[in-house]
Amino acid sequence: MPCQKCSCTSCLTLAGSSIPSTKFPPPQSELMTTNRPPTNYEVAQSRIIIDSAEKKMLLLQKATAGLVKQIADVRRMIGMHRAAISPLRSFPPELLVAIFVEYIDVEDPCPELPSPVSHLSLMRICSRWRTIVLETPQFWTKISGSTPVIDLWVNRSKGSPLDVRFDLASADIDLALDTLIPQAHRWEQVHFTLRSDSNSVLSPVRGHLHSLKKLRISCRNTTSTIDFCEEAPQLTGIWLEWVLNPFTIKLPWEQLQDCRLDGSMITLYTLQQAKNIRTCHLHMNRRRAPRDRLPMELVPREVCPSRLKTLIVSYWYLGDKYVKTFFSSLTLPSLQTLEFRFPELSTHSSRLAQALSGFFERSSLHLTTLKLIDIPFPPSNLVDYLTLMPSLVSLDIRFTSNHSHFIDDDLLGCLTFNHTNRLVPRLNSLTLRGQGAFDEQSLDNLITSRRDVTLQDAGVASLANLVLNCTTPADWSRRDLPSVHRFASEGLDITYGCDWNMDHPAMDVADLSGASSNGGY
């Protein structure tokens, strides 16, 4: 750029700046373009130029530093004015509270050290945010053993329902209980890990749990009677862990609607007592297996909660005798949703098959949703069970990576609908995930049969949703599936993938209509 004063291209003087001129004599072109040794005169001239240039460089650096500071000041001023007119300043406190609730770490709302995503960190942003957090009770209602200054949190919660979580075996729990027990009428959700004398410690709250809705009890080291929560008029959900003897837990069974339990025998007892239960989660693993040793003479032989609609059974440990007893004793006439997880069972005993058959025969009349993960039985047994489910609308079958069974031709053949095989006629949604070992024609037959209008008589539904996420034969990557794309264009919602990892997202065929046959999916 030419100099503003002399129009010289070698001068770097800028208009309106304090940067000095840096005009130098022209280089000695012959000396610069050859490799001859310089004369004494040329050496002296070059040293003079070097000294002059270094002095001017220092001046330029000082002037540049001043400009950099000016630029930083201007940027800071721009930022301050932009912040001053930011729409965020106009957000009403209610909207900010809604944003904060979505932002904070709800899993650990009161850590010992403030988390980057906790409401304690929000208080450091500005005085307005600090005031909003301090004056919003819901940020101070979750109290655990790591909560600092519990009495301060209780005061800031301003009478709102409390979520209390404590290990009563911890050393400094007595001080916390002195603050929390007088607030028992505000307890809405409670999670206590009990000790041997917990019932006497918590006896002052008996009759004062007017707001309690969810209760989680871990009886890791106690066999004493627990009755502090026997009178809780709003209690509807329980979670019992490590319960050695269900007879020691006194609860308002008749009003419970949701339960989660660790142990099949304990579940039978609970379902016998909680006649109005709607949802039950049964979870069992190896660590808890020794705890599920209720004497067989005390196990209820006929359990029939008439209102239970959802049952989720997750067996990480299977003692055949207890599982058979569980399913043989249970009848669920109103069951609508059933989920089974059998991740550690590789064989299907005749005793378990008989118990499951009886259970399905008694309980699957109104079943609409069935989810099976790592089922321990082959497709032939699955067909026997599905014949007992005439109302089934949604079927989800999944095999994890370490399972011995596959999504194969036999399974797809069993699900193919025709005049002789009218299995689950109301099936509307089908999900198959796992290791695939089937022919493409089997899949084509399945889809075609479930979409065939000639078979859609009274009471027979058309398949509307198909999720297929599995490994497939190697040459599939070079093929196209005409039926898949054809039915997708006709309205069938198809999600297709080639990775049987449970967490891997499948692809939507509707987005692949233009894919070529050499690797479109």
Side-chain angles (χ1 to χ4, degrees), residues 342-356:
F342 297 98
E344 290 193 4
L345 188 67
S346 57
T347 59
H348 185 48
S349 69
S350 58
R351 294 193 302 175
L352 180 58
Q354 182 180 3
L356 285 175

Side-chain angles (χ1 to χ4, degrees), residues 132-197:
I132 290 175
V133 172
L134 288 174
E135 294 181 353
T136 304
Q138 68 188 91
F139 292 135
W140 308 96
T141 57
K142 295 180 175 61
I143 302 176
S144 71
S146 60
T147 303
V149 200
I150 292 178
D151 55 344
L152 181 61
W153 284 55
V154 170
N155 292 334
R156 288 176 178 174
S157 62
K158 298 180 181 178
S160 297
L162 298 177
D163 181 349
V164 181
R165 291 169 286 176
F166 279 101
D167 183 353
L168 297 183
S170 60
D172 54 350
I173 189 62
D174 294 335
L175 206 56
L177 290 177
D178 290 341
T179 302
L180 289 174
I181 286 180
Q183 307 296 326
H185 62 283
R186 296 169 52 194
W187 294 1
E188 184 177 65
Q189 299 185 47
V190 170
H191 178 192
F192 281 151
T193 300
L194 305 181
R195 62 191 188 192
S196 57
D197 62 341

Side-chain angles (χ1 to χ4, degrees), residues 5 13 58 68 89 91 106 131-132 207 219 238 243 266 286 321 328 334 415 436 443 515:
K5 294 183 179 180
T13 300
L58 291 176
V68 169
R89 287 200 173 193
F91 283 11
V106 295
T131 301
I132 290 175
C219 304
I238 62 167
V243 177
I266 295 170
R286 291 188 183 275
K321 177 180 68 173
S328 299
S334 301
L415 297 174
L443 177 63

